[in-house]
Each structure stands twice: as C-alpha cells, then as structure tokens.
Amino acid sequence: FDAGSRALYATDASNYRQVPIGVVIPRTTDDVVRTVTVCRKHGAPLLSRGGGTRLCGQCCNVAVVIDFTKHLNAIVAIDAAAKTARVQPGLVLDDLRDAANRYGLTFAPDPATHSPNTLGGMIGNKSCGPHSVLGGETVANVIELEVLTYDGLRMTVGSMPSNDVFDTVVQQGGRRADIHLRLRALADKYGDAIRRRFPDIPRRVSGYNLPALLPENGFNLAQALVGSEATCVVILEAKLRLVDWPPARSLLVLGYPSVYEAGDHVPEIMQAGPIALEGLDDRLVSDMKAARIHPEDVRLLPEGGGWLMVEFGGRDKQEADAGARRLMDRLAKVDHPPSMKLYDDPAQEALVWRVRESGLGATAHVPDRPITWEGWEDSSVAPENLGKYLRALRKLFDDYGYACDLYGHFGQGCVHTRIDFDLETAAGIETFRRFLHDAAKLVTSLGGSISGEHGDGQSKAELLPIMFGDEVMAAFREFKAIWDPDNRMNPGKVVNAYRPDENLRLGTSYSPAVVGTHFAYTADNGDFARTVLRCVGVGECRKRDGTMCPSYKATGEEMHSTRGRAHLLFEMLRGETLTGGWQEPAVKEALDLCLSCKGCKGECPVHVDMAMYKAEFFAHYYAHAARPPAAYAFGLIDRWARLASHAPGFANFFSQREPFAGLAKSALGIAPQRRIPAFPAQTFVRQFRRRARGNTGEPVLLWPDTFNNYFTPEVALAAAEVLEDAGFEPMIPRVHLCCGRPLYEVGMLDRARRYLMRILEVLDQDIRAGIPIVVLEPACASVFREEMPQLLHGNEQAKRLSEQVFLLSEFLDRQAPSASFGRLHRRAIVHAHCHHKSVLKTQAEETMLGRIGLDYRMLDSGCCGMAGSFGFEESKYEVSMRCGERVLLPEVRAADADTLIIADGYSCREQIVQTTGRRPLHLSQVLRMAMEGG
C-alpha cells in the first residue's frame, strides 16, 4: 500500500491510468478469501489481475489489486487421458503449454503475449490467438471454474445441461441457489434478444457471454463468466480442456498485391484446414524495417504487399508439408496466384512467426512518427467479409488522418492495429472518441464485433450499445448485478463504465517534469519523458526464457521487471503518486536490483534500455546523496587494479588472507561467500610489451580492458596470438585507458564522459586512420557501441570509434574469413554475456566456433547473476545466485570434465569459478587451443 507499489499497478498495457488503493500478492487461496473479506468489511473495490497485458484498461482501477502471478501460479493436475488440466489463475500460459506438450496436448488459445499472460487473465478476457483456429477461443476450452463472489460465496460452476442438477442446487437454497435462479430467469427473459443480437462469427469477445446461459448451450455458468473481466467474481481455480497438438507443423506464407486481396482469399485458404492463419500488410513490414526489428526475419517473406501465414499440422513433417503442398498446387492453378514460400526449416519458421508476433512493438514507436495507441486494435468480422472490412477500415483511417498498420488473426476475421491518436489535446481526444463511434458503426454494419480478442474494459464499453442494443445492455447490467450487487468488482468496466476519454494515461492534464539528461536519447528526440513512455506494457519482460529481466526471474516482483521500472519512471516524471523526483526511493529500490544486462534493449519489442535509464537515474540521485563505499571500490576498479598491479603480492596478501579479506569485504559490503579476485604476477600489458613481435601484418588495436589486463592476462595474450596467426599485427594503447563500464552502474556519468574523451584523445590518430579495435570483453564493446554515442552525441570521433570496434569473433569473421585456426574435436557449452546476446549478437561467435569444428551448445542461460559488482554485493548476493542457479550453474556442474565451458564475459567466468570450481575459457583461449591441436 506504499506509493511505489500503487504506482507500479496504476496502468496496464492500455491508454488508461488509475492509481489503485493497494496491492495484495497472496501466497495461498485462503489469502485471497481473507483479502475479499477485508475489502467487503470496508466496502473497497476489488480487481483481480493476471499478467497485466490487457489493452482496454481492464487491469487498472481505483481498487485493491490482487496479483496472483508470484505464488498462485501452479498446474494443479493434468489428466492426459481426459485431456484436461486444473490450474491456478496466476499460471503463465507458456508453462501450461510446455507441460501439456509432453503429452502431445496443448491449450489452443495463444495470444502474442503467451510468455507473460496468465490463465486467469485469459479467462477474464476470453483470449484467443493464432491457434484459436485449431481449438477455439478460451471460452470453448473452459470446463469448470472455482469462483469467489464479493459477498463471500465460494463455489464451482460449470455446465448444467440437466434440470436435475439445477434443481438440486436450488433445493439447497442460499446465495448459490439465488444466483442460479436469477440467471435462469435472465436467460428466459432475454433469450430471444441474445439469439438475435450476438453475431455468429468466429471472434466475438465483446460483452458478457450470455449465450452460454441459453438452454441449447447447457446453461453453462463457467463459460458465461469467461470474458467478464473481473467484474463479477474472483477466479480461484479452473478446469480447462486440452486439445491434441500436432507434433509436426509446416508454415506456408502467401504473398498478395495488398492486404485487401489477402483478406479476400481467407475463406478459400481456410478450406485447406490450417491450424493457424495470420495476416499482415506492407506497412507493418516497412515499420519493422524502420524500427530495425528483426530485419533479417522480414527478408524471409515472399514477394508481395500483403501476406497470409498459413500453418499446417500433422503426425509428422511429411503429413504437415503435404497439407501445405496441396494448397500450393490448388493456388498455382488460379488466376493471379499469390507468391508462395514453404518453410521446411523449423528455425526459419520460428523467425517468420517472430515477424507476426512483433506487430505491436513494430507499430508502437516508429522512428520520426507519433506514438501509436490502442483503442481500435482488435475488431473482427466474419472471414468472408474481411477484405471488404479492411478496405472500409482503411478509408475510415484516411478520412480521420490516422496512419496505421493492419495485421491480425485473419483466419477468424480479427484485425489488429495501433493508431496515432492525439491523446493530449482536447480536440485530439474528441476526435479519438468520435472515431471510435464511427468505427463501431462500421464493423457492426458488417455483422462484426467491436472486440475480437482484447475485450471491452473501458475503451470499448461505451460502444457496446451500438453493437448489442438497449435490451441486451439491460441484460448485461442484470448479469453483473446478480453476481456483484454492490458493484465492487472492477467497477466502471464493461457496464456502467467510464467513457473511453476518461482516466487517460496522458490526457490534457499530462505535463511531465522537464529534465536535463546525461544521455542524448536520440531515438526519442532527446525527450526523456517520451523515453519512459516507450514501454507499452505487454510484459515481454516477464517471460521465463531469454535474457531480459534476470532480477524479475529471480524475485517474481513487478517492480523488478522492465515494465515495472518503466512505469515507475513514468510516475516519477508525472510527480503525483511519486513525488520525490530524482530522489524517489521507490525508483531507487526498483533500479537497485537491475543488473544492467541490456536484455530489454535486445528483446523488448520497443527496445526499452533500462540499463541506460538506471545509469541516468543514479547520476541524478547521487548528485544529492552520498554514494556507498562499494560504489567507489567497484566503480573505480581500473584505478585500484592499476595501483595493485605495481605490487600484486602485497595486494593479494591483504585480499586473499584472513582476517584482512574478511575485514575488507565487511567494509565494502561484499558478500562473505565471495572471494576477492587475486592479481596475477604480471598484467597483460606488461607481458605484451616484453614479448617478441610475432607478425608485421595489417595493424589492429587490441583493447586491454581492465579485467583481462589486470586479472586474466592469459585471455588477452591468447587473443594476441590468435590475431597474429590470422596475419594481423596487434598493438595496444601507449597509456592506461579504461572504457569506464563500472562507472555506469553507479551513475558516475561525468567521470565516464571524461574516460571516453581521454580515449578519443589518446587514440586520435588510430581512429582517424581507421585501425580496427578488437575488444575482448562484451561489456566494454557495448560501451563503445551503445553508451558512447548517447553520452557523446554529435562527436564525430566518437562515431568513428563506435564503428571501428569489434569483438574478437566479429573481427575474425569479417576480416579473416579464410584463416584457418585448426580443428578442435571437443564438446562445449557456451554461455554468452548478456550484452553479447542482447545488443552485440552472437552470430559471429557461433560462426567461429563452427569453423574450428567444435561440438558446442549455446545455453539459453539468461544472466549469470554476477554482472560486474552486482554479484559481489552482500545485499544482492541471493538474487545473484538465483540468477545463476536458474540455468547456467546447474548446466556447468552437470557437464563432463572433458566438456569445455566457454564464457567471454569476465563476470560470467568469475561467477562460474566461484560457484562451481570449473575454469571457463574465453573464445581467444579456445581458438588458441585449436591452433595448438587441442
């Protein structure tokens, strides 16, 4: 109930913002029951929340928010024979699908947010996704629900096709009987209107699911509650239907002149029996290129201006391919056939699917274009009307002057888009609301639905009368009142709702603080307020795999997700709920556990760079606060290491022996479990200058970073030998230099700028001569490629240097493509440094490992948890170890003694050494091993 927690949950993935009363994170179902009891005692509104990924404002309210995701996220049971699963509401969809896949089953609905969204949220919003073609919307896959009403009734609901079952419930009396009787009466009273006004189309998510109450549909209370958006009950547990998941799948992509022709042909394609059918237009592809989102994947598409992605399933690849080829044969015979490309490589299929799933990220922040917003992002029509609707919708956009992309679940007639609404001026907001009404009239004129996936919440609720009429709206209000007579469950959503122009995240009152910054934020025109708006809230940072948000993976706390941190920075600039500005303690707490992994920069669909924002925040924070001793010990490590290198034995005596080591760790806040790294007898620079010149080829500057120079000189020496063997002449700077990477973690940005300017001064002639600079430490390379252009924006020398920096693997792959380094017939596991995976990319590393014949496996190990000083700090040691123990450290311990452990990052190697005893190698050492014959 503190300001920071309330600010975290003030918005979701929508245009809306409502600061909650407080947040409850229950450990048990009994905690949920007690929470409802307390809320009832005080008359407090209540909001059940899943992954917080909804786009219509369902997940924010002035209420007590219950977040199920941290603890109530278990699979209770899977019955493979019956093809059912019992789940808790906080369970992430991907976790259920992974578990069901082991039995050849799946939960069919799979929205693009499948990695963070929860089953409770999917039930609340009647979610769909590409494979709803295979198994229907969420509503078709819900068998039973255990629910809790605001007035304390806890019961299980499902289908009641038999009057005997209904009569038994009624005879028991009480609140449960009253609900059943009143719902039966509602179905009798409004049955004809329900049958008449609900469109019979594949995607109809709008409105309460009243058709489920009709006798011909089994009077199914569970399915009637699906899509009620937490406005009626709290879901405690769900019994779900699972469907067969084809073990093999094939992807066929069809290219048409435009998205309109693609829409026209959807009914024809559906006759071929695909398990998914997605569509996208040329504007989406163009925006992906402009935003540099998966450009290599976009090139995989066949020729066209509009595309259909058609997926077939089968018992094996041959059967799946056969379905695709039959369609191709049929399409080849029609007039003006589409271009066609069948993908037989599963890796390529995954890349093409990534193009479609990146739609929201590609359209939210296009360079040099206004920010786009939800509001009309998921309308749907019958597939036979799709082409007509796409043309009419584009004309409506043009009439209003809106520019946007079109894509979506075309097999079921659902169209996605984000629109460049003006949500900051009175005129723009009035136009936005007028457009919504015109769009609702358009889609309903074609027998469609205002929502085909994301529900109503606040953004669509005002439009429901256009679609359903007054009689059905009266039925909606009665349905809500039967379950929630006091209107305490997520009030103001679906019925009796706020207008779409109320509670806007921006609105005419939006006036964030204008702040000066150290970084240029060129992607957002230097506007830090726009930078913190970059997060669109879809929660990709809460996924279980990949690199992004290691601290969230370790803690499960929203404030440790990229989304949570971005929301807190937004609230900090807004200055209402959080009033501390750059000294705001809630922001400091959240950013303190950021490992600066840059996973978000590489994996977030809108390229949020929380590592940079963290450095920015702490630079301002510590301008008015004393830094802890550890900040100087670690931030200035290059200076202390240089000093120690003059007398390494003396330094090691005090850092390696007790009680001196223990006293040093205590004074600096270092975890007692950690060992302070020892200094070698000689630095790399000293050894390099004394060694014989091995080559007089093309010059290359080998960067002696602080860690490989002062702690692991063998890594840099191996790199020098490898470069010489490839025909180059390695050189080093004439004086001590450091890129200053540790300075960013503690916000010493003025000092970091001086470090960079010193580098430009010392290397001036080398930079102007275009001499390549090979960097061994990925974190240092990312300083030159990522931080320097933003910290020294406009400096042409900085720009040149940034373009001349290469990792060892990149340099050898580009500049020595024919060089032979021998063969190394060994097995290896590879852990890539976070910055290497996220912003530098590992293709060249994999190429070099392949060139020496190494049998390697690249781990999806996320962050090692050390992250510079992070893993050494006592207050962060537990989180550090959780990060490492998630994948990396168990994999290392399980590896055979003969298996090589490869990790280019110094911190990664140190984490492995200190926790497993294994000695990992840098790529340079592995290449030298190959040169020496293994």
Side-chain angles (χ1 to χ4, degrees):
F1 287 73
D2 58 284
S5 296
R6 296 170 63 230
L8 271 174
Y9 289 80
T11 190
D12 48 12
S14 73
N15 300 342
Y16 300 99
R17 173 183 177 272
Q18 291 176 279
V19 181
I21 297 168
V23 181
V24 175
I25 302 178
R27 292 181 178 272
T28 67
T29 299
D30 287 343
D31 287 347
V32 180
V33 175
R34 285 193 287 270
T35 299
V36 175
T37 300
V38 173
C39 288
R40 182 169 65 251
K41 177 181 177 181
H42 294 278
L46 192 68
L47 167 58
S48 299
R49 174 171 151 140
T53 62
R54 289 299 93 186
L55 299 176
C56 300
Q58 301 98 319
C59 299
C60 55
N61 213 326
V62 182
V64 173
V65 174
I66 304 179
D67 183 347
F68 293 85
T69 57
K70 184 171 183 179
H71 300 295
L72 292 175
N73 55 17
I75 298 173
V76 179
I78 289 181
D79 186 336
K83 298 182 181 179
T84 63
R86 297 196 72 90
V87 303
Q88 292 181 318
L91 177 69
V92 169
L93 171 60
D94 273 359
D95 291 346
L96 174 61
R97 299 187 77 199
D98 289 345
N101 284 171
R102 291 195 284 270
Y103 302 98
L105 302 171
T106 193
F107 187 71
D110 57 340
T113 53
H114 51 83
S115 58
N117 70 23
T118 67
L119 273 300
M122 293 181 69
I123 293 166
N125 291 283
K126 198 183 176 189
S127 297
C128 307
H131 291 101
S132 295
V133 169
L134 173 69
E137 305 158 306
T138 295
V139 67
N141 296 282
V142 170
I143 300 170
E144 289 180 352
L145 297 176
E146 183 183 357
V147 301
L148 176 67
T149 63
Y150 189 81
D151 54 14
L153 175 65
R154 183 174 176 179
M155 65 175 176
T156 298
V157 296
S159 177
M160 283 191 172
S162 167
N163 284 331
D164 292 341
V165 179
F166 179 85
D167 292 341
T168 300
V169 171
V170 171
Q171 289 168 9
Q172 292 172 350
R175 172 77 166 122
R176 184 182 180 208
D178 179 64
I179 289 174
H180 282 73
L181 284 167
R182 294 175 65 189
L183 289 174
R184 174 68 68 83
L186 184 150
D188 292 342
K189 179 179 178 181
Y190 295 103
D192 290 342
I194 293 169
R195 294 180 183 95
R196 186 172 62 252
R197 293 306 299 253
F198 277 75
D200 184 17
I201 57 177
R203 289 289 190 94
R204 190 274 310 155
V205 177
S206 280
Y208 290 131
N209 196 40
L210 300 187
L213 297 178
L214 299 177
E216 60 265 32
N217 295 323
F219 191 62
N220 194 320
L221 271 60
Q223 293 188 354
L225 286 168
V226 174
S228 56
E229 300 183 3
T231 62
C232 296
V233 297
V234 177
I235 297 170
L236 303 177
E237 192 175 294
K239 182 179 181 181
L240 306 174
R241 178 177 76 113
L242 303 176
V243 299
D244 292 325
W245 183 234
R249 289 169 297 283
S250 297
L251 180 63
L252 169 65
V253 179
L254 308 175
Y256 293 88
S258 75
V259 73
Y260 313 121
E261 284 88 351
D264 291 336
H265 287 84
V266 162
E268 177 185 10
I269 306 303
M270 285 297 294
Q271 293 174 11
I275 63 172
L277 176 54
E278 301 290 287
L280 56 152
D281 72 356
D282 56 339
R283 297 192 186 197
L284 175 62
V285 170
S286 176
D287 285 347
M288 290 187 72
K289 292 177 180 176
R292 293 186 296 174
I293 296 178
H294 310 313
E296 68 282 3
D297 305 347
V298 169
R299 288 194 291 269
L300 294 172
L301 296 174
E303 182 181 354
W307 294 268
L308 294 179
M309 298 172 55
V310 194
E311 187 177 55
F312 292 87
R315 291 185 297 272
D316 52 35
K317 188 67 173 173
Q318 185 175 4
E319 182 180 12
D321 280 353
R325 293 190 186 281
R326 282 194 296 271
L327 176 59
M328 295 174 72
D329 291 342
R330 181 154 55 87
L331 292 177
K333 299 172 184 176
V334 303
D335 293 336
H336 309 296
S339 61
M340 295 180 268
K341 188 170 183 179
L342 178 61
Y343 301 83
D344 281 325
D345 180 358
Q348 280 198 338
E349 290 179 14
L351 294 177
V352 177
W353 273 113
R354 195 162 64 170
V355 172
R356 166 60 188 86
E357 291 186 349
S358 299
L360 190 152
T363 58
H365 292 272
V366 181
D368 303 318
R369 294 252 297 272
I371 296 176
T372 61
W373 300 94
E374 66 87 11
W376 193 254
E377 75 295 331
D378 67 326
S379 52
S380 63
V381 295
E384 55 267 26
N385 289 331
L386 181 58
K388 182 188 301 184
Y389 177 56
L390 289 170
R391 292 177 176 87
L393 185 59
R394 175 63 71 194
K395 182 179 184 305
L396 185 64
F397 289 148
D398 292 343
D399 290 346
Y400 273 86
Y402 293 139
C404 52
D405 308 336
L406 296 171
Y407 57 99
H409 311 297
F410 281 14
Q412 294 186 313
C414 182
V415 180
H416 289 322
T417 187
R418 286 177 69 91
I419 305 173
D420 51 340
F421 296 123
D422 169 9
L423 299 179
E424 295 186 55
T425 69
I429 294 169
E430 189 278 329
T431 301
F432 155 71
R433 187 178 177 200
R434 182 159 39 87
F435 167 83
L436 293 182
H437 281 258
D438 285 347
K441 293 171 185 175
L442 168 62
V443 75
T444 55
S445 73
L446 294 172
S449 174
I450 60 176
S451 173
E453 182 152 30
H454 299 143
D456 304 314
Q458 178 176 340
S459 66
K460 311 284 181 54
E462 185 181 69
L463 310 175
L464 290 175
I466 297 173
M467 177 175 172
F468 290 106
D470 293 341
E471 191 174 5
V472 171
M473 289 304 301
F476 287 164
R477 288 189 288 271
E478 287 189 30
F479 182 80
K480 157 82 167 170
I482 291 169
W483 293 103
D484 178 32
D486 296 323
N487 192 30
R488 298 287 81 191
M489 302 290 285
N490 204 10
K493 308 299 161 84
V494 186
V495 295
N496 306 314
Y498 297 106
R499 299 190 313 272
D501 57 353
E502 294 181 277
N503 305 318
L504 289 170
R505 190 191 300 198
L506 302 186
T508 57
S509 63
Y510 177 63
S511 183
V514 178
V515 294
T517 59
H518 294 268
F519 293 108
Y521 302 105
T522 52
D524 298 304
N525 300 316
D527 184 353
F528 192 63
R530 173 164 175 148
T531 293
V532 300
L533 273 177
R534 180 165 284 274
C535 174
V536 293
V538 297
E540 181 76 5
C541 45
R542 291 166 58 104
K543 64 182 181 176
R544 302 298 200 264
D545 59 355
T547 302
M548 183 161 44
C549 266
S551 51
Y552 173 77
K553 289 180 172 71
T555 68
E557 294 282 355
E558 175 72 10
M559 73 166 144
H560 297 141
S561 67
T562 300
R563 178 179 70 180
R565 290 170 175 138
H567 284 174
L568 287 174
L569 287 167
F570 169 82
E571 294 289 338
M572 178 192 83
L573 292 186
R574 193 177 183 102
E576 296 172 5
T577 307
L578 302 183
T579 58
W582 290 114
Q583 271 59 57
E584 175 55 53
V587 179
K588 179 182 182 295
E589 180 185 7
L591 289 175
D592 197 43
L593 280 190
C594 171
L595 287 90
S596 299
C597 69
K598 284 190 175 287
C600 47
K601 178 66 185 295
E603 297 176 14
C604 168
V606 288
H607 303 311
V608 168
D609 188 354
M610 196 53 62
M612 188 173 290
Y613 310 165
K614 173 188 175 180
E616 183 76 59
F617 175 82
F618 278 117
H620 293 273
Y621 181 87
Y622 285 122
H624 301 282
R627 286 186 173 88
Y632 296 95
F634 291 108
L636 301 177
I637 187 64
D638 70 299
R639 297 194 172 197
W640 307 130
R642 185 184 183 194
L643 184 64
S645 71
H646 295 297
F650 181 77
N652 289 336
F653 179 85
F654 287 99
S655 67
Q656 304 301 307
R657 298 190 180 205
E658 297 296 345
F660 309 110
L663 291 172
K665 287 190 279 189
S666 177
L668 296 175
I670 296 175
Q673 300 91 331
R674 293 297 188 189
R675 296 190 304 275
I676 299 174
F679 292 94
Q682 289 191 351
T683 66
F684 159 69
V685 167
R686 190 169 301 168
Q687 295 181 65
F688 182 85
R689 286 176 176 158
R690 291 177 178 176
R691 67 196 288 272
R693 297 281 289 272
N695 205 311
T696 56
E698 289 293 321
V700 57
L701 195 149
L702 179 59
W703 181 258
D705 66 89
T706 292
F707 299 101
N708 286 315
N709 180 33
Y710 294 112
F711 293 101
T712 55
E714 63 275 12
V715 168
L717 286 167
E721 293 181 24
V722 168
L723 287 168
E724 287 174 341
D725 188 75
F728 299 95
E729 181 183 359
M731 308 181 302
I732 59 174
R734 65 179 186 274
V735 298
H736 166 85
L737 295 173
C738 176
C739 72
R741 164 54 70 190
L743 300 173
Y744 295 88
E745 313 315 313
V746 292
M748 294 183 177
L749 296 186
D750 288 334
R751 192 182 296 267
R753 183 180 287 105
R754 292 197 295 272
Y755 274 42
L756 292 174
M757 292 301 296
R758 172 69 171 156
I759 292 169
L760 296 182
E761 176 188 342
V762 172
L763 300 183
D764 181 76
Q765 294 305 313
D766 295 323
I767 296 170
R768 294 184 190 279
I771 294 176
I773 301 173
V774 172
V775 178
L776 303 176
E777 173 59 42
C780 299
S782 75
V783 166
F784 294 127
R785 298 241 192 113
E786 294 284 313
E787 276 75 22
M788 187 173 66
Q790 296 298 317
L791 204 56
L792 302 181
H793 179 60
N795 186 309
E796 289 299 318
Q797 275 289 73
K799 182 179 179 181
R800 293 186 188 100
L801 173 57
S802 178
E803 294 173 352
Q804 290 169 219
V805 164
F806 301 90
L807 290 172
L808 178 63
S809 57
E810 294 174 328
F811 179 77
L812 294 175
D813 184 36
R814 297 184 192 183
Q815 303 299 324
S818 59
S820 174
F821 299 98
R823 305 291 288 179
L824 187 58
H825 300 292
R826 297 278 294 274
R827 289 194 306 272
I829 57 174
V830 183
H831 167 77
H833 184 280
C834 291
H835 293 194
H836 199 167
K837 289 179 284 192
S838 300
V839 295
L840 304 173
K841 304 306 180 185
T842 62
Q843 290 93 331
E845 189 90 359
E846 296 178 57
T847 297
M848 292 308 302
L849 294 174
R851 279 171 64 175
I852 60 173
L854 192 66
D855 179 12
Y856 71 93
R857 179 164 56 93
M858 188 75 70
L859 299 178
D860 182 15
S861 45
C863 180
C864 74
M866 187 63 86
S869 66
F870 186 97
F872 280 95
E873 297 179 47
E874 184 172 15
S875 61
K876 300 169 183 174
Y877 175 78
E878 182 181 353
V879 170
S880 168
M881 292 307 298
R882 286 185 191 174
C883 293
E885 294 291 355
R886 196 177 66 84
V887 176
L888 173 62
L889 301 181
E891 286 273 9
V892 171
R893 295 189 192 104
D896 295 337
D898 290 339
T899 299
L900 301 180
I901 313 298
I902 302 175
D904 287 354
Y906 171 80
S907 291
C908 309
R909 297 196 300 275
E910 191 64 26
Q911 177 78 305
I912 293 169
V913 167
Q914 294 212 11
T915 56
T916 71
R918 294 294 298 268
R919 289 284 169 181
L921 302 174
H922 188 281
L923 174 68
S924 65
Q925 296 169 294
V926 175
L927 292 175
R928 186 174 62 180
M929 286 178 66
M931 287 162 43
E932 295 171 349

